[in-house]
Amino acid sequence: MTQNGNSKQARAIRSVRRVHRITGIVLFVAFIFMSISGLLLGWKKNSGGLILAKSEKGTSTELSEWLPIDSLNAIAFQVFRDSISTVKMPELNRIDVRQNKGMIKFVFEEGYWGIQLDGATGELLQIERRWSDLIENVHDGSILDHWFRTNGGLKLIYSSITGLALLLFSITGFWL
């Protein structure tokens, strides 16, 4: 290889190292959050209830024996007001029906709270803090949309930048 060829190759390697280093410095914090939250999400079902609460069992798996959803919803909101907070009316994020467990879970937006009720009796089975939802929001960047009250734009930017940077790191790291 000629002196000129060696010089071009050395410049290319220096450029790749510079891009790799600058990108690494800029995205260090994002990668730390993503890696730690990813590890925690991988372990959530094996955390002994610390990250993801156990789904309790109700008394009946027959939907025909269950209380109507609107009645169970009213019970869940009453439990929330009585046991969690009387300050403000909670916003419901979703309702998870677990027919095979005889249980229905009400997941609330603020504070990552969940309430599990027996589908047939409406009896409170468990009040849970949904740490796995918080960790997932950190991992995918949707926590930024939650904090800044945006409609998915920051999550898209965060995941695009971190995904492209990880791709760039893989390519430049392999090159180096």
Side-chain angles (χ1 to χ4, degrees):
M1 192 178 278
T2 66
Q3 182 65 25
N4 193 17
N6 285 341
S7 173
K8 283 183 182 180
Q9 185 178 15
R11 270 194 306 251
I13 290 174
R14 280 194 298 274
S15 294
V16 168
R17 280 192 176 129
R18 190 176 315 113
V19 167
H20 194 85
R21 183 177 58 248
I22 291 169
T23 308
I25 291 168
V26 170
L27 295 171
F28 174 77
V29 173
F31 285 150
I32 292 296
F33 279 114
M34 282 188 108
S35 61
I36 291 171
S37 60
L39 278 167
L40 291 172
L41 288 172
W43 278 90
K44 72 181 178 182
K45 289 187 178 179
N46 299 318
S47 69
L50 293 174
I51 298 173
L52 182 66
K54 179 181 173 232
S55 292
E56 300 296 330
K57 290 189 181 245
T59 56
S60 174
T61 60
E62 289 297 320
L63 291 177
S64 61
E65 297 175 5
W66 283 28
L67 295 172
I69 295 284
D70 64 333
S71 298
L72 293 166
N73 187 62
I75 294 169
F77 273 83
Q78 189 61 50
V79 167
F80 189 97
R81 283 189 295 278
D82 291 346
S83 303
I84 298 171
S85 175
T86 58
V87 176
K88 70 180 204 173
M89 188 64 144
E91 185 179 331
L92 190 61
N93 177 284
R94 69 181 177 275
I95 300 172
D96 290 341
V97 175
R98 305 287 174 92
Q99 180 183 1
N100 63 333
K101 294 201 175 244
M103 179 266 290
I104 186 165
K105 187 181 300 190
F106 294 83
V107 179
F108 295 92
E109 203 56 54
E110 292 296 319
Y112 299 99
W113 289 102
I115 295 174
Q116 296 180 26
L117 299 178
D118 183 308
T121 66
E123 177 187 334
L124 175 65
L125 298 174
Q126 178 174 229
I127 297 173
E128 62 180 307
R129 201 67 183 260
R130 299 189 51 85
W131 297 115
S132 62
D133 289 353
L134 172 63
I135 294 167
E136 185 177 322
N137 287 348
V138 168
H139 185 72
D140 71 6
S142 57
I143 190 123
L144 299 171
D145 288 316
H146 180 75
W147 284 343
F148 295 106
R149 307 275 185 229
T150 56
N151 199 20
L154 290 176
K155 174 186 174 179
L156 185 60
I157 291 168
Y158 172 83
S159 60
S160 295
I161 289 173
T162 53
L164 288 170
L166 190 55
L167 179 63
L168 180 67
F169 271 7
S170 298
I171 292 168
T172 58
F174 178 76
W175 180 271
L176 293 173

